[in-house]
């Protein structure tokens, strides 16, 4: 199986290309493939599919395309290849081995080619990489701005690779081949000056000087006509070399002169010191004689040594190379403590050192160090000494030294690495002044001020993928030892969270104990109470690195961070964060923003944050109030109540608040059912963890309330493993001594067991629920329990008994004015009458239920089921026309509102009357959506 972006967006299998369908579906797949193995939020997918205002049902359209992609991938046995399209909260993730993606293989080959010393090896790798292209990137996708930008980025990398391939041919002396490669691309991209300059150099070296000059004048005219500009320095240099007919040695000498800072256009000095060759007509003429500048000192190299055991990071290295392109770029490499920012930048700098003939400067700004930050003048003094300034000539003021530093950089092509910066102001006076200088800054903070003031280009660095984590362990411990315990190595990498610092500390411990196994180390790290201490060695470790980061935080952010460690779940929004810290949502959001800038939390969605596992363990050890858990549980209880009310408006509250309830400053509000159901889906795991934490703390009243408050999602996704949390809720209700709660949980658990086909277990709970609710004085709960019991009775072949229970439930609900439950009871009663063949009773019951409210007041799902029952009854009573009318209306409404259960039932009834191909297609589509959802 192969996923393709380099050409038409497609999925190739052994039996052919999958029929992806319309452009919007291809666009959705492309957006997922551009970030494989990472959650892609729905809003980002929306931006990829629609340029302007998306349609009202955009989320449904996206869900439909995702469902169809899942069906296509499932039909192609994608799971065999490790491919899975999954939902993660409000985002989708295409999990896959990245080696199946042509764009990933292309970037890997290009990265490998750049590191080859032998040009023949580089040529082979570049050719293999470029052979993956089958046309313009992302062909067939909708031309939205995000996808056009991604396609352009891939095209830029392809063109750069073509130039590099030509350079490798030239190093082999194959100048004609280099010219042939470049001519096609230069013709297709006539305004790309680097291509034209490279082609001119290749033609000159191949002895085709006239062609080189002709290509220059052709390009010059085109630039003037199309853009109104003159050729840039690179193209003008190539023209001057061709004009002089220079051989390769002279060409290198000319380039060295430019790097050393000779000004103006390309010149050659005559014996009198005047320009012997003028610049081409399109550039400004040099009228005054030029003087050769004083000889500059040998290029300085202050870089730390090449990091040992560095592995992977191909994407980050590529991103850093892209960020370093252009005029005087400032690259900002950011990431959490211990993620390997310094190693990445040092490795990249060593690999690209030949691009900086003017020198390589490095300073550790110690922004997160116990030893304190160096003074600005101290750093500048080291730089100036390296650039050849005599000690007595170095200014005594920082501002003057900074000005001298910028002037000395003006004509140099050098790299400045500013490591471990704490703040933007620490960096600004150290930025070089040359247009050909590159500055790389590393920081645990995002340094947004530097982005705003100096257009710094962010290069985020995240934790390592499992394969790269295992390779890092192998670099320290040896390949044989790691491969002998491959599964244990992956487990070890998982426990270290892919954090290079943690992996190196774990590897250091193992290297010290050659007889110890990786599996044994993994078992030790699995103990959360010991994990951080095991990942410290001497003065190095995760805990020490995090302590230095947290120490720099403002008080409000540090307070918030300490309380995040007590959160039983994995994600927080601003309301949950406020409840944890005992603050308000605005203050919590500001603190979370500060923590995100320090890479202590990760923003996964506009109002959703999480912590790395090791960071969470560190935060858990900080001081926080003893009442934090109660606050967060009470916030959770109130929020599930609000979600249930929004999901099922008009329903009576499923429980009262605890007697000792502590109201939070604010809770999330929901605008309607869809938003509430999305929240349930995103928060399900965290809600379960909150209930578990409440049970462990003996807070039984909070335990069952949190689980019971999830009932709209339980009903919507009944076959989704709800038995364990409901069983825990039942135990909690009994421990809390709340008969009303016990009856309601019994009824819900019994219904879930019925849907799972575990009827004998279901009956035990369902038969106990109605009398318990009656003794607790809960007619609403008793009516619901009777309805749920009727479903199990019907499944066991007793429709008359089931009908009797539903009739009792309808009467109970009617007596207390609970129209929702009465309508539900009548709906199931109509269904039981249908199953018993009592067509007239089914018809009359469905009519009575529909008459309880106006159509607008009746919930859509109930209205659809009632109209379906009415239609089935009419068909059975020989009123086929009236029955089909009701069934068709029910089916269309179900399809329109996304109620696939109702659509399947109504369309199935229609197919029994009329086996129409169109109806069959609609039924199959609804079934596929339902299967994908459940």
């Amino acid at each position: 199986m192969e996923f393709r972006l380099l050409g038409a967006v497609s999925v190739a299998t052994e039996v052919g290309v999958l029929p992806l369908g319309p452009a919007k579906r291809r666009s959705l797949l492309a957006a997922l493939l551009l970030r494989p193995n990472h959650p892609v939020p729905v809003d980002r997918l929306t931006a990829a599919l629609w340029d302007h205002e998306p349609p009202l049902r955009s989320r449904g359209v996206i869900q439909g395309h995702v469902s169809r992609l899942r069906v296509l991938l499932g039909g192609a046995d994608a799971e065999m290849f490790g491919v899975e399209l999954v939902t993660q909260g409000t985002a989708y993730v295409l999990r896959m081995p990245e080696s199946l993606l042509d764009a990933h293989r292309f970037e890997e080959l290009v990265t490998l080619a750049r590191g080859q010393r032998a040009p023949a090896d580089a040529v082979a790798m570049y050719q293999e990489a470029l052979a993956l292209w089958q046309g313009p990137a992302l062909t067939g996708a909708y031309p939205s701005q995000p996808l056009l930008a991604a396609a352009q980025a891939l095209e830029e990398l392809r063109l750069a690779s073509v130039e590099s391939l030509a350079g490798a041919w030239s190093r082999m002396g194959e100048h004609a081949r280099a010219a042939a490669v470049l001519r096609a691309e230069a013709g297709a991209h006539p305004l790309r000056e680097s291509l034209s300059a490279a082609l001119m150099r290749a033609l000159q070296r191949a002895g085709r000087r006239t062609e080189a000059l002709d290509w220059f004048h052709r390009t010059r005219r085109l630039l003037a006509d199309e853009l109104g500009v003159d050729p840039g320095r690179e193209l003008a240099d190539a023209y001057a070399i061709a004009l002089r007919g220079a051989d390769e040695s002279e060409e290198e000498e000319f380039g060295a002169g430019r790097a050393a800072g000779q000004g103006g256009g390309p010149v050659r000095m005559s014996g009198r010191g005047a320009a012997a060759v003028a610049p081409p007509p399109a550039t400004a003429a040099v009228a005054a004689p030029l003087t050769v500048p004083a000889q500059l000192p040998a290029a300085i190299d202050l870089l730390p040594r090449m990091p040992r055991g560095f592995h992977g990071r191909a994407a980050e290295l590529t991103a850093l190379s892209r960020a370093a392109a252009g005029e005087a770029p400032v690259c900002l490499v950011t990431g959490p403590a211990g993620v390997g920012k310094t190693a990445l930048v040092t490795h990249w700098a060593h690999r690209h050192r030949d691009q900086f003939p003017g020198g390589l400067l490095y300073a550790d700004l110690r922004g997160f160090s116990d030893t304190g930050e160096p003074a600005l003048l101290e750093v500048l003094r080291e730089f100036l000494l390296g650039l050849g300034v005599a000690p007595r000539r170095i200014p005594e003021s920082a501002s003057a030294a900074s000005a001298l530093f910028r002037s000395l950089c003006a004509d140099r092509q050098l790299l400045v690495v500013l490591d471990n910066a704490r703040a933007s102001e620490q960096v600004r006076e150290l930025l070089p002044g040359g247009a050909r200088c590159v500055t790389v800054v590393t920081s645990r903070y995002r340094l947004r001020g530097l982005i705003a003031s100096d257009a710094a280009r962010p290069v985020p660095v995240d934790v390592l993928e499992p394969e790269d984590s295992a390779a890092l362990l192998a670099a320290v411990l040896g390949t044989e030892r790691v491969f002998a315990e491959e599964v244990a190595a992956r487990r070890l990498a998982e426990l270290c969270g892919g954090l290079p610092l943690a992996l190196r500390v774990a590897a250091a411990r193992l290297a010290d104990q050659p007889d110890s196994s990786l599996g044994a180390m993994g078992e030790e790290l699995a103990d959360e109470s010991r994990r951080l201490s095991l990942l410290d060695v001497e003065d190095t470790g995760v805990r020490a690195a995090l302590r230095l980061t947290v120490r720099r935080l403002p008080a409000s952010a540090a307070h918030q961070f300490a309380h995040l460690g007590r959160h039983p779940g994995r994600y927080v929004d601003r309301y949950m964060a406020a409840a944890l810290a005992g603050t308000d949502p605005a203050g919590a959001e500001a603190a979370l923003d500060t923590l995100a800038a320090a890479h202590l939390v990760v923003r996964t969605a506009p109002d959703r944050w999480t912590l790395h596992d090791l960071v969470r363990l560190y935060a858990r050890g900080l001081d926080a109030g003893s009442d934090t858990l109660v606050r967060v549980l009470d916030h959770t209880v109130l929020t599930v109540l609000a979600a249930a009310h929004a999901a099922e408006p008009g329903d009576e509250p499923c429980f009262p608040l605890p007697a000792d309830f502590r109201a939070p400053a604010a809770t999330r509000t929901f605008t309607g059912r869809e938003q509430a159901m999305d929240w349930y889906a995103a928060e399900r795991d965290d809600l379960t963890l909150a209930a578990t934490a409440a049970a462990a703390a003996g807070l039984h009243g909070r335990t069952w309330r949190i689980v019971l408050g999830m009932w709209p999602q339980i009903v919507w996704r009944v076959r989704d493993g709800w038995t364990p949390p409901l069983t825990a809720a039942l135990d909690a209700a009994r421990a809390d001594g709340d008969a009303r709660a016990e009856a309601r949980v019994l009824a819900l658990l019994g219904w879930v067991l019925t849907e799972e086909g575990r009827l004998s277990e279901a009956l035990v709970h369902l038969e106990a629920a109605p009398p318990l609710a009656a003794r607790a004085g809960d007619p609403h709960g008793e009516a619901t329990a009777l309805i749920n019991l009727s479903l199990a009775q019907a499944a066991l072949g007793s429709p008359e008994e089931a009908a009797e229970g539903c009739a009792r439930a309808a009467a109970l609900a009617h007596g207390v004015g609970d129209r929702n439950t009465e309508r539900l009871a009548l709906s199931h009663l109509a269904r039981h009458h249908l199953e018993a063949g009592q067509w007239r009773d089914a018809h009359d019951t469905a009519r009575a239920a529909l008459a309880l409210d106006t159509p607008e007041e009746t919930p859509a799902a109930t209205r659809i089921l009632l109209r379906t029952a009415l239609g089935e009854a009419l068909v059975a009573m020989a009123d086929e026309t009236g029955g089909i009318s009701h069934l068709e209306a029910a089916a269309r409404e179900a399809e329109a509102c996304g109620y696939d259960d109702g659509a399947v039932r109504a369309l199935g009834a229609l197919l029994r009357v009329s086996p129409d191909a169109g109806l069959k297609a609609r039924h199959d589509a609804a079934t596929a959506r339902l299967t994908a959802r459940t």
Side-chain angles (χ1 to χ4, degrees):
M1 175 171 278
E2 181 185 34
F3 292 82
R4 296 173 180 167
L5 293 176
L6 307 182
V9 178
S10 60
V11 183
T13 67
E14 291 180 354
V15 296
V17 176
L18 295 185
L20 293 179
K24 290 291 172 64
R25 192 172 302 144
R26 292 174 184 272
S27 303
L28 186 140
L29 177 61
L32 294 171
L33 288 172
L34 287 168
R35 285 184 58 78
N37 301 310
H38 288 79
V40 183
V42 169
D43 56 354
R44 185 174 293 182
L45 293 175
T46 303
L49 269 63
W50 291 280
D51 261 335
H52 304 294
E53 187 70 20
L56 293 177
R57 292 286 302 157
S58 59
R59 186 181 294 269
V61 172
I62 289 173
Q63 290 171 344
H65 286 313
V66 168
S67 297
R68 184 56 186 159
L69 284 175
R70 283 179 175 147
V71 171
L72 287 170
L73 293 173
D77 295 324
E79 284 190 1
M80 292 176 55
F81 298 88
V83 178
E84 185 182 16
L85 177 51
V86 300
T87 304
Q88 188 169 317
T90 57
Y92 295 100
V93 184
L94 186 57
R95 294 177 181 160
M96 60 181 292
E98 293 188 8
S99 58
L100 299 181
L101 179 60
D102 61 357
H104 175 77
R105 296 204 307 278
F106 172 73
E107 292 196 9
E108 277 198 329
L109 285 166
V110 168
T111 302
L112 287 171
R114 287 173 179 160
Q116 300 305 307
R117 293 186 177 180
D121 294 340
V123 164
M125 290 180 182
Y126 280 124
Q127 286 180 320
E128 184 179 350
L130 291 166
L132 293 169
W133 284 76
Q134 300 180 13
L138 275 59
T139 298
Y142 178 75
S144 62
Q145 287 302 315
L147 295 185
L148 286 175
Q152 183 60 36
L154 288 168
E155 176 65 6
E156 285 291 326
L157 184 56
R158 185 188 72 82
L159 291 174
S161 303
V162 170
E163 295 178 23
S164 298
L165 171 60
W169 277 125
S170 289
R171 291 197 299 277
M172 294 174 63
E174 298 281 356
H175 304 305
R177 286 191 172 185
V181 166
L182 291 164
R183 186 182 288 275
E185 296 298 341
H189 302 84
L191 297 177
R192 188 180 177 92
E193 293 187 53
S194 59
L195 273 175
S196 293
L199 174 58
M200 288 175 63
R201 288 192 295 270
L203 290 170
Q204 164 70 13
R205 292 166 182 164
R208 294 151 64 181
R209 178 188 179 203
T210 304
E211 289 182 54
L213 294 171
D214 179 68
W215 193 269
F216 170 80
H217 289 298
R218 172 181 170 181
T219 306
R220 177 178 60 82
R221 286 192 298 269
L222 193 62
L223 288 169
D225 293 343
E226 295 288 332
L227 303 177
V229 298
D230 293 332
R233 174 179 289 181
E234 187 177 7
L235 195 58
D237 284 356
Y239 173 81
I241 291 167
L243 195 64
R244 295 165 56 203
D247 60 24
E248 286 187 45
S249 61
E250 291 176 34
E251 202 175 311
E252 291 171 3
E253 183 182 346
F254 184 90
R258 290 291 271 182
Q262 293 179 0
V267 296
R268 181 176 60 187
M269 304 312 300
S270 69
R272 297 169 299 182
V277 177
T283 61
V286 180
L290 299 178
T291 57
V292 180
Q295 183 67 36
L296 291 171
I300 187 69
D301 184 352
L302 299 180
L303 286 178
R305 63 175 174 80
M306 189 82 155
R308 293 187 59 199
F310 185 88
H311 186 83
R313 297 294 194 194
E316 289 87 349
L317 289 167
T318 301
L320 185 51
S321 294
R322 288 174 178 168
E327 184 174 318
V330 178
C331 311
L332 181 56
V333 178
T334 63
V339 83
K341 301 179 292 296
T342 301
L344 171 76
V345 171
T346 305
H347 180 84
W348 177 86
H350 277 285
R351 280 182 52 183
H352 294 82
R353 60 188 314 121
D354 59 333
Q355 297 179 15
F356 304 103
L360 302 110
L361 303 178
Y362 172 89
D364 184 357
L365 302 183
R366 304 197 298 269
F368 305 91
S369 170
D370 279 328
T371 59
E373 300 171 6
L376 174 59
L377 187 58
E378 179 186 334
V379 178
L380 286 166
R381 179 179 177 82
E382 187 173 353
F383 283 179
L384 291 171
L385 287 172
L387 293 173
V389 179
R392 65 180 182 277
R393 294 190 58 200
I394 295 177
E396 295 184 4
S397 73
S399 58
S402 179
L404 178 59
F405 171 61
R406 287 193 296 274
S407 66
L408 288 175
C409 296
D411 293 320
R412 281 182 176 260
Q413 187 169 343
L414 56 77
L415 171 68
V416 179
V417 177
L418 303 173
D419 202 10
N420 290 312
R422 173 188 51 81
S424 301
E425 61 268 19
Q426 198 183 11
V427 170
R428 290 192 181 100
E429 291 301 312
L430 295 170
L431 297 178
R436 293 181 296 162
C437 296
V438 173
T439 306
V440 180
V441 181
T442 76
S443 181
R444 298 180 191 181
Y445 291 169
R446 292 217 168 92
L447 302 189
R448 293 165 181 161
L450 197 64
I451 297 173
S453 64
D454 293 272
R457 303 169 184 179
V459 180
V461 182
D462 206 344
V463 296
L464 292 172
E465 296 295 330
E467 295 81 3
D468 290 338
S469 297
L472 190 154
L473 290 171
V476 179
L477 301 173
T479 304
E480 290 184 8
R481 188 174 178 186
V482 172
F483 281 6
E485 294 186 79
E486 195 169 350
V487 175
R490 284 182 171 270
R491 174 61 176 155
L492 198 60
E494 180 184 331
L495 290 167
C496 290
L499 196 68
L501 175 60
L503 288 163
R504 289 182 182 278
V505 172
R509 287 188 177 277
L510 286 164
D512 226 16
Q513 307 165 26
D515 296 330
S516 180
S517 69
L518 275 69
M521 173 63 81
E523 289 176 9
E524 290 186 74
L525 288 176
D527 182 354
E528 290 188 347
S529 65
R530 300 182 58 211
R531 191 179 305 171
L532 285 179
S533 61
L534 289 169
L535 294 177
D536 280 339
V537 56
E538 294 184 1
D539 60 344
T540 300
V542 175
R543 191 158 45 190
L546 289 171
R547 176 175 53 81
L548 293 171
T549 304
V550 173
R551 194 176 64 183
R552 295 284 189 182
L553 292 172
S556 59
H559 175 80
Q560 182 70 69
F561 180 68
H563 286 79
L564 288 176
R566 304 303 171 91
H567 180 40
R570 300 196 60 83
Y571 296 91
V572 296
D573 58 19
R574 59 197 178 105
Y575 299 99
M576 178 67 76
L580 281 162
T583 59
D584 60 90
E589 185 171 16
L592 287 167
D593 195 44
T594 301
L595 293 174
H599 290 94
L600 289 170
V601 302
V602 179
R603 187 193 292 262
T604 61
D607 187 22
R608 193 168 168 85
W609 291 264
T610 190
L611 285 77
H612 185 282
D613 286 346
L614 296 178
V615 177
R616 190 187 315 279
L617 288 178
Y618 180 81
R620 195 175 294 168
L622 300 177
D623 289 334
S626 58
D627 60 345
T628 302
L629 180 62
V630 175
R631 283 203 307 269
V632 75
L633 292 176
D634 283 350
H635 170 269
T636 303
V637 167
L638 199 58
T639 308
V640 294
L641 265 181
H645 177 72
E648 301 292 339
D651 225 45
E652 53 99 27
C654 50
F655 54 77
L657 294 172
D660 58 345
F661 177 77
R662 302 183 185 184
T667 54
R668 177 181 289 277
T669 57
F670 301 92
T671 58
R673 175 180 172 78
E674 184 176 1
Q675 189 183 41
M677 297 307 292
D678 286 345
W679 180 83
Y680 274 127
E683 300 296 329
R684 176 189 170 166
D685 291 342
D686 273 12
L687 291 172
T688 304
L689 288 170
T692 303
L699 299 168
H700 305 299
R702 272 80 174 176
T703 304
W704 64 258
R705 282 178 171 87
I706 291 171
V707 177
L708 195 57
M710 298 165 69
W711 76 266
Q713 191 190 23
I714 297 174
V715 171
W716 191 248
R717 299 183 67 102
V718 62
R719 300 178 191 88
D720 208 14
W722 293 106
T723 302
L726 283 168
T727 302
L730 181 60
D731 293 340
R734 287 170 174 166
D736 200 31
D738 193 316
R740 180 182 185 276
E742 182 183 353
R744 292 202 170 204
V745 177
L746 280 169
L748 189 54
L749 176 56
W751 179 68
V752 168
L753 291 169
T754 301
E755 290 293 315
E756 291 179 352
R758 298 158 64 179
L759 294 173
S760 58
E761 296 174 68
L763 275 179
V764 172
H765 298 300
L766 290 170
E767 288 176 343
L772 187 59
R775 288 196 300 272
D778 181 15
H780 301 276
E782 184 183 359
T784 301
L786 285 168
I787 294 169
N788 292 355
L789 174 61
S790 78
L791 298 176
Q793 292 167 334
L796 289 168
S798 302
E800 296 83 0
E801 192 176 11
E804 182 182 343
C806 280
R808 284 176 54 205
L812 276 170
H814 183 79
V816 292
D818 183 355
R819 286 186 299 177
N820 281 351
T821 305
E822 182 182 2
R823 189 189 309 107
L824 183 64
L826 292 175
S827 174
H828 285 291
L829 180 57
R831 179 57 51 188
H832 296 322
H833 284 320
L834 285 173
E835 290 171 0
Q838 299 166 349
W839 318 123
R840 173 55 63 184
D841 289 342
H843 173 274
D844 293 346
T845 302
R847 285 278 188 201
L850 286 168
L852 285 175
D853 291 305
T854 64
E856 294 76 19
E857 294 174 316
T858 306
T862 305
R863 183 170 61 248
I864 290 163
L865 294 177
L866 286 169
R867 294 205 70 176
T868 301
L870 189 60
E872 290 179 79
L874 287 170
V875 168
M877 293 163 61
D879 185 0
E880 195 168 287
T881 302
I884 289 175
S885 174
H886 282 289
L887 290 171
E888 181 62 39
R892 293 204 176 279
E893 184 175 3
E895 289 169 319
C897 70
Y899 180 37
D900 295 318
D901 300 78
V904 169
R905 179 169 290 181
L907 290 166
L910 279 170
L911 283 171
R912 289 192 292 273
V913 180
S914 171
D916 178 73
L919 290 175
K920 180 70 165 58
R922 289 165 61 193
H923 181 271
D924 291 348
T927 302
R929 291 193 300 272
L930 185 60
T931 303
R933 179 169 62 81
T934 57

